Amino acid sequence: MRIGDLAARAGVSVRSLRYYEEQGLLSSTRSAGGQRHYTEDDVERVAFVQRLYAAGLSSRTITELLPCIDSPSDENSDAAMERMARERDRLSDHIQELLRTRDALDLLMVAARAHRDASRVSA
C-alpha cells in the first residue's frame, strides 16, 4: 500500500510516517518511481509506535524497544522490559520535580496574596 493509504488506515499523517522512517521506526520498499510501499503489518506497527509515543516515550527509546517486536527473544524482551523500567523511573523522578515546583509556586502565591492584602490595608 502507498503512504497515503497507510496514513488513512493507521489514523496518522503522511508527515508522521515520513518522520517514523527517518527515525528508523518504520521502513518501506520503493517503487521504480521512488514511491514508498508498505505492508499490512505496517498498519499494526504504526499503531504500536503510536501507543509508545502516547506512553511518553521518545523516538530514540522506541527504537531501543523495537528489537523485542522485530526479533522476539527472551533477551530482547528482557532488554525491552529493563528499558521501559528505566523510562518509568525517569518519568517518576520528573513527576516528583514537577510536584516540588508546583509546591514552590503555591508558596509564592501565598506570599504574593499576603503582600497584596497587606498593601490594601495600609493604603
Side-chain angles (χ1 to χ4, degrees), residues 14-110:
V14 168
R15 185 174 183 210
S16 292
L17 295 177
R18 288 185 181 122
Y19 176 77
Y20 295 170
E21 272 200 63
E22 288 171 12
Q23 298 301 308
L25 305 175
L26 182 67
S27 62
S28 64
T29 58
R30 297 284 183 134
S31 70
Q35 293 180 330
R36 292 174 170 94
H37 289 276
Y38 300 92
T39 67
E40 285 296 317
D41 292 340
D42 290 323
V43 176
E44 180 55 36
R45 185 178 188 93
V46 170
F48 179 67
V49 168
Q50 287 288 294
R51 287 192 302 273
L52 294 172
Y53 274 125
L57 302 178
S58 67
S59 57
R60 184 176 184 180
T61 300
I62 294 170
T63 300
E64 293 176 29
L65 298 176
L66 289 177
C68 183
I69 300 301
D70 296 335
S71 304
S73 69
D74 287 346
E75 182 180 334
N76 285 340
S77 180
D78 290 345
M81 292 297 290
E82 183 179 310
R83 182 64 180 101
M84 287 187 288
R86 285 196 319 268
E87 191 63 22
R88 186 182 190 287
D89 290 344
R90 186 193 66 78
L91 289 170
S92 293
D93 291 345
H94 186 66
I95 289 167
Q96 290 305 312
E97 182 59 33
L98 288 171
L99 290 171
R100 285 189 291 276
T101 301
R102 184 201 59 197
D103 293 345
L105 182 58
D106 286 346
L107 291 173
L108 286 172
M109 291 170 66
V110 167

